[in-house]
């Protein structure tokens, strides 16, 4: 019963993490910069500059937003293209891993062979793990770029200094959920395979007169000895002699 619960929990965590990652692709404010807002004058003017993977935008204190969409692929900055590719690869791997997890769970009756279901579950965990690494690499690359620009601009206060936005934190939490779900799934499958491999079944042949029998059992089971037939014949002869007397 614990195995089913762990597999369902792992599937839910991986699915929730993939949903978080997918939501970050459509969210704004990946990096945010604020200008103005300081007191000391009769009119306080505040402006926000924010960017995501698809556009750069400017918003003033009157809630008017002006955006400039990124152009074609070869005009976009290289690190943004890399982040897009990594996140999409992570989502596709997570999708395939979710399908395999559904087929490999113990509570589904789509396959009767438990060993093949465990192998599918381990493969699904590996796909989820690779997707998690791909997502983390994309988020860390974008964060590294923002921090690098922030540190360089610190020396010149006149330039814009961007901060990390909410989608990056949400993506990191989603990646952690995927990693945690992989641990639950892989632990259930590996434990079952390890238990089955403690006492492997072997075949041995026992000769009994002119007949040959094939037995299946564990390693600690020994084949019948050839001396047992002679001992059995001697015992039966003694019993017959006692009855005759």
């Amino acid at each position: 019963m614990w195995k089913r619960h762990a597999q369902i929990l792992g599937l839910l965590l991986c699915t929730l993490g993939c949903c978080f990652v997918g939501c970050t692709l459509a969210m704004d404010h990946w990096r945010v910069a604020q200008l103005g807002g300081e007191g000391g004058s009769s009119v306080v003017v505040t402006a926000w500059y924010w960017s995501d993977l698809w556009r750069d935008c400017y918003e003033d204190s009157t809630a008017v937003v002006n955006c400039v969409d990124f152009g074609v692929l070869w005009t976009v900055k290289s690190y943004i293209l890399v982040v897009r590719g990594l996140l999409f690869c992570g989502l596709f791997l997570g999708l395939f891993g979710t399908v395999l997890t559904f087929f490999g769970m113990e509570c589904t009756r789509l396959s009767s062979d438990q060993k093949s279901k465990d192998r599918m579950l381990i493969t699904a965990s590996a796909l989820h793990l690779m997707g998690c690494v791909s997502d983390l690499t994309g988020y860390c690359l974008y964060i590294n770029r923002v921090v690098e620009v922030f540190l360089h601009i610190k020396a010149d206060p006149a330039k814009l200094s961007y901060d990390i936005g909410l989608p990056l934190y949400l993506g990191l939490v989603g990646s952690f959920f995927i990693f945690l779900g992989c641990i639950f799934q892989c632990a259930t499958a590996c434990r079952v395979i390890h238990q089955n491999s403690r006492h492997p079944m072997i075949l041995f042949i026992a000769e009994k007169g002119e007949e040959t029998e094939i037995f299946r059992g564990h390693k600690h089971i020994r084949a019948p000895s050839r001396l047992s037939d002679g001992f059995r014949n001697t015992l039966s002869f003694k019993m017959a002699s006692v009855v005759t007397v």
Side-chain angles (χ1 to χ4, degrees):
M1 186 63 67
W2 68 268
K3 181 182 176 183
R4 295 183 180 181
H5 293 165
Q7 289 175 357
I8 294 174
L9 180 60
L11 178 62
L12 292 177
L13 287 174
C14 291
T15 305
L16 183 63
C18 290
C19 290
F20 282 0
V21 174
C23 289
T24 58
L25 288 171
M27 292 178 67
D28 301 327
H29 300 85
W30 276 57
R31 57 176 186 169
V32 183
Q34 180 179 354
L35 290 179
E38 298 178 357
S41 61
S42 58
V43 179
V44 178
V45 179
T46 306
W48 293 273
Y49 291 90
W50 51 270
S51 302
D52 55 16
L53 296 178
W54 315 103
R55 56 186 175 174
D56 288 326
C57 294
Y58 164 79
E59 182 179 357
D60 58 12
S61 56
T62 61
V64 176
V65 181
N66 296 317
C67 295
V68 177
D69 296 333
F70 294 152
V72 292
L73 292 177
W74 51 86
T75 61
V76 184
K77 295 179 180 179
S78 58
Y79 78 94
I80 292 182
L81 287 177
V82 173
V83 172
R84 288 180 186 175
L86 289 172
L87 293 184
F88 277 115
C89 282
L91 284 178
F92 284 129
L93 290 173
L95 177 62
F96 293 143
T98 303
V99 173
L100 285 179
T101 302
F102 182 75
F103 282 103
M105 293 176 63
E106 187 180 359
C107 57
T108 57
R109 303 298 180 183
L110 300 176
S111 177
S112 59
D113 189 6
Q114 187 62 37
K115 188 173 293 185
S116 63
K117 290 169 73 73
D118 294 333
R119 290 173 182 171
M120 281 193 293
L121 200 61
I122 292 178
T123 305
S125 302
L127 290 176
H128 277 302
L129 185 60
M130 289 189 293
C132 176
V133 172
S134 180
D135 295 333
L136 280 177
T137 305
Y139 290 126
C140 292
L141 178 61
Y142 196 93
I143 292 173
N144 181 52
R145 182 69 178 181
V146 173
V147 172
E148 183 181 357
V149 174
F150 176 80
L151 294 177
H152 281 293
I153 292 177
K154 267 295 186 180
D156 189 1
K159 296 182 179 180
L160 278 177
S161 177
Y162 285 93
D163 295 327
I164 298 173
L166 177 62
L168 293 171
Y169 295 104
L170 186 64
L172 292 176
V173 172
S175 301
F176 174 74
F177 282 166
I178 295 174
F179 180 73
L180 197 61
C182 291
I183 292 178
F184 280 107
Q185 294 176 3
C186 192
T188 56
C190 290
R191 182 172 180 178
V192 171
I193 293 176
H194 182 68
Q195 286 180 351
N196 292 336
S197 63
R198 288 180 180 177
H199 303 290
M201 307 292 287
I202 60 173
L203 295 175
F204 57 88
I205 300 175
E207 296 182 358
K208 184 179 179 181
E210 297 180 354
E211 299 180 356
T212 302
E213 297 182 1
I214 300 178
F215 297 90
R216 181 182 296 271
H218 299 292
K219 285 186 176 180
H220 62 273
I221 300 178
R222 295 182 180 179
S225 176
R226 293 185 178 180
L227 297 178
S228 58
D229 294 336
F231 179 76
R232 188 180 297 107
N233 295 332
T234 304
L235 184 61
S236 60
F237 175 74
K238 289 183 178 180
M239 292 294 295
S241 60
V242 170
V243 171
T244 303
V245 174

